[in-house]
């Protein structure tokens, strides 16, 4: 059981012009992997995730999930986006139960499953609250619970913590590590943060731009939970930064400033270890 991406290409037409957004992407995602897709803005991370989710079609090549070509969305693949798209008129528990009810699960069983999942994301005390009464981090926990309760084989996450403050993000990192250990889900995680990728994943796939493609892969063979100050992780972060530097400069020169340079620093690492909007 695995996801195989074979010779994948994607073109978009913009203003009558064809643009190659992904070119010859080949990747095998094994069951139980926590794989991060990391790369400069516009390199096609979300497009790749959406193609795996079946929300977007491929122009070339294919994605196989357990040897079946992906032709559309499926219950085995659930996506969590940057902004939790909760139903504002439903309480937390009803948001989490929503998909189960559609699937035909009885109300009683759906309620029990939702409670159990909300416990996992530490929201047991907020089951009756409405989305507008929650913080951004709590809303994102509900979105994760809503995805997990469907028991998908693959959890696809597109910058799920990108809009959160640093403290909430760190908290959710450890919760997600916990969830990964407990549920053994296969997680495909798009991020801008080298730190986040190295802390959470067992594989980090670096993508380059114009056209979007896979540049390199790093294996992070250290057990969880990981320490923020582990020198082994800092070393890998430095290596990844070196690999990405040229790609970041390429994007910034084309989009912002012809003379753009990423400041040379004494690696490992820049102050907050997060390239933020640079990549
Ligand atoms: N529906 C679309 N129509 C036309 N072009 C698109 C469409 N969706 C994405 N693109 C283009 O494809 C490229 C890749 O976009 P994508 O959103 O996958 O990048 P990304 O790596 O996720 O970027 P970011 O890190 O900023 O989220 C971009 O240049 C974008 O403008
Ligand atoms: Mg994106």
């Amino acid at each position: 059981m695995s996801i195989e991406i074979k010779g994948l290409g994607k073109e978009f037409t913009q203003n009558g012009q064809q643009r190659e957004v992904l070119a010859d992407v080949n990747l095998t995602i094994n069951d139980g992997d926590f794989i991060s897709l990391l790369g400069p803005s516009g390199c096609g991370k979300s497009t790749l995730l959406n193609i795996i989710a079946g929300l977007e079609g491929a122009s070339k090549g294919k994605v196989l999930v357990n040897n079946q070509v992906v032709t559309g969305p499926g219950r085995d693949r659930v996506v969590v986006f940057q902004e939790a798209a909760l139903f504002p008129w439903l309480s937390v528990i009803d948001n989490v139960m929503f998909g189960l009810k559609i699937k035909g699960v009885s109300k009683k069983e759906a309620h029990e499953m939702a409670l159990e999942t909300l416990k996992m994301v530490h929201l047991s005390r907020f089951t009756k609250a409405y989305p507008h009464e929650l913080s951004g981090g709590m809303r994102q926990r509900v979105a994760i619970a809503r995805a997990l309760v469907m028991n998908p084989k693959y959890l696809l996450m597109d910058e799920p913590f990108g809009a959160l403050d640093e403290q909430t993000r760190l908290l959710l990192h450890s919760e997600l590590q916990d969830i990964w250990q407990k549920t053994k889900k296969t997680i495909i995680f798009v991020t801008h943060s080298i730190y986040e990728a190295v802390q959470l994943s067992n594989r980090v796939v670096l993508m380059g731009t114009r056209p979007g493609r896979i540049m390199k892969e790093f294996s992070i063979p250290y057990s969880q939970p990981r320490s923020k100050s582990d020198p082994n992780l800092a070393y890998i972060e430095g290596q990844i930064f070196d690999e990405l530097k040229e790609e970041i400069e390429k994007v910034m020169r084309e989009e912002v400033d012809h003379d753009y340079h990423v400041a040379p620093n004494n690696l490992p690492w820049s102050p907050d270890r997060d390239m933020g909007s640079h990549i």
Side-chain angles (χ1 to χ4, degrees):
M1 304 264 270
S2 61
I3 295 182
E4 288 170 274
I5 301 165
K6 293 187 170 177
L8 189 78
K10 178 71 181 173
E11 288 175 359
F12 280 119
T13 310
Q14 250 176 356
N15 304 325
Q17 284 207 318
Q18 285 232 315
R19 281 192 44 212
E20 193 177 28
V21 170
L22 290 174
D24 197 28
V25 173
N26 293 287
L27 183 67
T28 298
I29 299 162
N30 303 310
D31 281 359
D33 269 346
F34 191 135
I35 193 161
S36 284
L37 303 177
L38 182 69
S41 188
C43 73
K45 302 179 294 294
S46 297
T47 304
L48 178 56
L49 198 77
N50 289 340
I51 295 173
I52 297 170
L55 301 172
E56 192 92 67
S59 309
K60 277 185 208 147
K62 59 190 168 188
V63 176
L64 297 165
V65 175
N66 303 326
N67 296 318
Q68 303 268 324
V69 177
V70 169
T71 53
R75 284 200 181 131
D76 55 346
R77 286 156 283 138
V78 175
V79 190
V80 175
F81 296 99
Q82 183 169 4
E83 300 287 343
L86 304 176
F87 298 121
W89 61 89
L90 292 181
S91 65
V92 164
I93 190 116
D94 284 335
N95 263 286
V96 177
M97 286 166 64
F98 188 82
L100 292 173
K101 282 194 194 158
I102 289 185
K103 207 171 139 188
V105 177
S106 76
K107 197 172 170 189
K108 185 167 173 287
E109 200 183 335
H111 194 263
E112 276 167 20
M113 288 166 77
L115 273 183
E116 200 52 43
T117 316
L118 283 167
K119 220 186 268 173
M120 206 188 289
V121 296
H122 308 291
L123 278 181
S124 305
R125 284 171 44 224
F126 295 90
T127 54
K128 294 200 174 82
Y130 283 83
H132 74 271
E133 297 172 308
L134 304 177
S135 69
M138 289 157 98
R139 278 201 289 273
Q140 210 52 336
R141 284 194 182 93
V142 180
I144 293 170
R146 194 177 52 177
L148 282 175
V149 83
M150 302 305 287
N151 198 20
K153 187 106 196 50
Y154 305 101
L155 189 57
L156 314 183
M157 307 182 94
D158 194 351
E159 297 193 52
F161 309 141
L164 304 177
D165 64 89
E166 179 74 10
Q167 282 171 18
T168 310
R169 209 182 311 160
L170 292 178
L171 214 71
L172 281 168
H173 284 169
S174 72
E175 288 186 13
L176 187 61
Q177 279 174 1
D178 234 35
I179 288 168
W180 184 48
Q181 306 268 295
K182 277 187 194 141
T183 63
K184 312 271 187 243
K185 296 262 169 254
T186 306
I187 300 181
I188 307 168
F189 187 90
V190 168
T191 178
H192 272 134
S193 162
I194 299 174
Y195 169 75
E196 190 166 77
V198 169
Q199 277 291 319
L200 296 177
S201 356
N202 67 324
R203 296 168 66 190
V204 177
V205 170
L206 295 192
M207 291 179 65
T209 186
R210 310 223 157 108
R213 67 205 187 284
I214 291 178
M215 296 200 303
K216 198 164 182 162
E217 182 176 327
F218 285 81
S219 160
I220 324 279
Y222 304 107
S223 62
Q224 304 273 12
R226 291 176 183 165
S227 157
K228 236 172 131 37
S229 52
D230 185 335
N232 293 317
L233 298 179
Y235 179 72
I236 298 174
E237 283 178 38
Q239 283 188 314
I240 294 177
F241 178 82
D242 281 348
E243 290 287 337
L244 280 175
K245 190 169 166 282
E246 274 177 35
E247 289 297 312
I248 297 163
E249 286 178 342
K250 193 162 99 182
V251 174
M252 294 304 279
R253 281 183 198 142
E254 282 173 27
E255 288 182 1
V256 184
D257 177 349
H258 301 300
D259 296 324
Y260 189 89
H261 288 283
V262 173
N265 61 4
N266 296 320
L267 295 171
W269 213 232
S270 60
D272 65 355
R273 298 173 166 202
D274 186 346
M275 289 303 294
S277 59
H278 285 277
I279 63 166

